[in-house]
Amino acid sequence: MRNPFGFLEEIASYGDVVQYRTVLGTFTALLHPDHVERVLLQEPNRFQQVDVADFDMGIDPEGLVDVRGEQWRRQRTVMQPAFTMERIQSYADAMVEVTEDTAGEWTGGETIRLDEAFSELALRILTRSLFDLDVESDDADVIARTARVLNEQLAVGNPSVLLPSWVPTPSNRRFKRTYGEFVDRVDAMIADRRESPDIGDDLLSILLHAQTDEGATLSETEVRDNMLTFLFAGHETTSLGLTYTVLLLAQHDDELERVRAEHREVIGDDDPGFEHVPRLTHTERVIDEALRLYPPIPTLFREPMEPAAFDGYRVDSGSILTLPQFTIHRDARFWADPMAFDPDRWREERSDDRPEYAYFPFGGGPRHCIGMRFARLEMRLVLAALLRQFDFELVSDPDLEFDPGMTLRPADPVRVRIDER
Ligand code: HEM
């Protein structure tokens, strides 16, 4: 538990199907892209999301990440239209505006914690896009606090994770109190929007009014739980993606210069906007490469609904499958010189003979990340808005270690000195 990534790397030397036991049960790691493709894409009904009710967290959310079966299918169908490119386009201006505001608070010459700064920025962007709230408002403050305690609550190092949620540990109590406040605020916002005749552009309004062709909608609880789900699923992940991208660029001057040259050519002196994004192809390769080396979600888990076999090895229902992006993204069988930061490996002519599921930072199959376009748009726009204004010099240890947990968080603060250009 202390070093899950070193552990996964070690067991990969045993083969592509490796069983191991922990206090949480029996796990089977699948370390070949063909197995990942089978689980996520070919047989998603046979290998389902692990049931969160198995892990008592004190909430039993009915959000998209956690629900299964028919409820998942209905929710996904209702929500999909909120995440098309046309819809997401309307968030682009807010993404740039919030980034400019954040940059306005930075002073050249100061040292900042990049991981914290991006976490705050990604949260502000989500708060605007999902709830149409200004950062200064009380509601936004409650949202920021909820995101913070939820992060703490889910961190593996937190002893409360191993205790039932009714045990009144300080963190369980803090979580319950803050979550209760969050629920009250969101319920009040839902009531407000229900009364208002206009349908706003934010996700909350869209979810409240969304329905499938057959007329299926979301219940009030589902809307509220999804707001929490999106807040968590969309903020820590994107902020880690940005942190690692800027960290890599800060250590590779030649790549940074290529990205800036592309920005100059495509965006010039304009404000970055949605219309520029399709032409930011090298920036996109840089992001792809950062998400390869540092996938914000480092491992996926699935539960076999019935016994199955991989390469002739049996896995039982009730055990858990581990699909580690972190390890497969660095496997020398699929990646030449895997530890090198080499965005050009994403050029078409160099991508041909790689198995599709050698790379799955956003998962795959029907349950792939619904926020992928949102996140990719956000990362490109934030980079465009920041790199033109600032140089980033890494001043903390370049050898990263990671916290064990659901997301790939750096164990130590990532500090950079920022200088105005
Ligand atoms: C770089 C940023 C992001 C990364 C790396 C990422 C990664 C992932 C991955 C790997 C999954 C699949 C989980 C599984 O199969 O068990 C997923 C699902 C999901 N993501 Fe993201 N995500 C990102 C950003 C976002 C954003 C911005 C949002 C929302 C605005 C979001 C919302 C979701 C939701 C709701 C699901 C569940 C989808 C379903 O089960 O149908 N994600 N994400």
Side-chain angles (χ1 to χ4, degrees):
M1 275 184 126
R2 243 179 291 121
N3 182 10
F5 305 111
F7 174 70
L8 282 168
E9 216 165 295
E10 193 186 318
I11 62 172
S13 64
Y14 289 83
D16 288 336
V17 184
V18 185
Q19 197 168 81
Y20 58 96
R21 289 195 184 81
T22 77
V23 287
L24 297 173
T26 301
F27 291 76
T28 305
L30 300 176
L31 295 140
H32 195 284
D34 292 349
H35 296 325
V36 175
E37 180 166 352
R38 177 178 162 199
V39 170
L40 296 182
L41 180 72
Q42 291 161 357
E43 300 185 59
N45 292 333
R46 191 168 180 191
F47 304 105
Q48 298 251 359
Q49 206 72 316
V50 177
D51 194 349
V52 273
D54 294 351
F55 303 96
D56 178 5
M57 287 173 9
I59 47 171
D60 188 9
E62 289 184 46
L64 192 63
V65 170
D66 299 311
V67 291
R68 291 165 42 158
E70 255 326 294
Q71 190 180 13
W72 169 79
R73 208 174 313 281
R74 176 176 47 82
Q75 285 200 7
R76 181 96 191 192
T77 316
V78 171
M79 286 183 215
Q80 198 69 54
F83 288 93
T84 57
M85 216 51 197
E86 296 84 78
R87 247 313 155 192
I88 284 167
Q89 180 172 1
S90 67
Y91 303 134
D93 289 348
M95 288 172 177
V96 175
E97 237 174 79
V98 174
T99 309
E100 301 281 359
D101 286 352
T102 301
E105 293 163 13
W106 294 351
T107 331
E110 69 174 329
T111 297
I112 59 164
R113 265 194 73 169
L114 197 62
D115 48 335
E116 276 184 1
F118 279 142
S119 178
E120 203 172 299
L121 173 60
L123 187 60
R124 286 177 174 191
I125 289 176
L126 270 185
T127 309
R128 269 285 274 284
S129 319
L130 303 187
F131 299 94
D132 193 21
L133 287 177
D134 270 330
V135 188
E136 309 300 335
S137 71
D138 280 359
D139 287 335
D141 186 49
V142 171
I143 288 170
R145 267 188 291 132
T146 309
R148 218 171 300 131
V149 293
L150 195 64
N151 267 344
E152 283 169 20
Q153 190 73 359
L154 293 176
V156 170
N158 175 0
S160 293
V161 171
L162 299 172
L163 292 170
S165 61
W166 50 263
V167 178
T169 60
S171 80
N172 277 346
R173 270 184 297 157
R174 192 162 49 241
F175 177 67
K176 273 208 173 111
R177 195 175 349 106
T178 314
Y179 183 61
E181 227 181 305
F182 172 83
V183 167
D184 290 347
R185 294 293 174 116
V186 177
D187 284 351
M189 282 189 252
I190 291 176
D192 264 6
R193 306 291 164 96
R194 284 247 189 258
E195 275 176 20
S196 153
D198 313 319
I199 303 181
D201 259 352
D202 62 342
L203 190 76
L204 180 56
S205 308
I206 293 168
L207 294 190
L208 277 171
H209 295 94
Q211 48 177 286
T212 60
D213 293 344
E214 291 79 42
T217 54
L218 300 177
S219 74
E220 215 105 305
T221 311
E222 286 178 318
V223 172
R224 179 223 292 148
D225 286 358
N226 270 300
M227 297 321 281
L228 183 73
T229 296
F230 282 102
L231 209 54
F232 186 69
H235 125 256
E236 188 69 9
T237 44
T238 315
S239 92
L240 288 170
L242 282 167
T243 301
Y244 293 123
T245 306
V246 170
L247 201 68
L248 286 162
L249 286 175
Q251 294 169 288
H252 295 85
D253 288 343
D254 49 337
E255 287 300 337
L256 176 62
E257 191 32 54
R258 288 173 76 187
V259 170
R260 280 185 172 145
E262 181 172 80
H263 289 165
R264 278 195 299 274
E265 187 193 319
V266 175
I267 308 171
D269 292 331
D270 294 345
D271 281 336
F274 183 79
E275 67 280 15
H276 301 122
V277 168
R279 288 166 57 215
L280 297 176
T281 46
H282 194 68
T283 310
E284 183 158 24
R285 288 184 203 121
V286 164
I287 293 169
D288 284 341
E289 183 67 345
L291 298 180
R292 179 184 72 82
L293 283 167
Y294 303 109
I297 296 190
T299 318
L300 301 184
F301 297 99
R302 288 295 188 271
E303 200 175 320
M305 295 293 103
E306 57 195 71
F310 291 91
D311 290 348
Y313 295 102
R314 183 187 158 100
V315 291
D316 289 320
S317 49
S319 66
I320 293 179
L321 298 175
T322 308
L323 315 175
Q325 286 100 319
F326 187 83
T327 319
I328 295 177
H329 285 186
R330 294 166 172 224
D331 188 325
R333 289 178 295 175
F334 316 114
W335 305 96
D337 196 4
M339 296 313 291
F341 175 60
D342 175 13
D344 279 326
R345 71 169 87 237
W346 291 97
R347 286 181 176 282
E348 230 169 279
E349 63 276 16
R350 285 181 58 192
S351 307
D352 282 352
D353 50 356
R354 203 181 293 139
E356 174 107 13
Y357 277 76
Y359 184 68
F360 55 110
F362 292 97
R367 293 204 75 145
H368 72 271
C369 177
I370 199 172
M372 178 175 81
R373 290 197 186 98
F374 185 102
R376 299 182 73 92
L377 176 68
E378 176 177 343
M379 286 191 281
R380 277 174 289 178
L381 289 174
V382 170
L383 288 177
L386 290 183
L387 294 179
R388 59 162 62 182
Q389 288 189 56
F390 295 105
D391 280 322
F392 296 87
E393 185 196 342
L394 181 65
V395 293
S396 52
D397 190 351
D399 286 329
L400 293 179
E401 304 221 2
F402 306 103
D403 261 348
M406 312 264 286
T407 53
L408 189 70
R409 281 206 269 174
D412 300 305
V414 177
R415 293 187 203 284
V416 290
R417 183 192 146 96
I418 48 173
D419 275 307
E420 272 174 70
R421 302 185 69 221

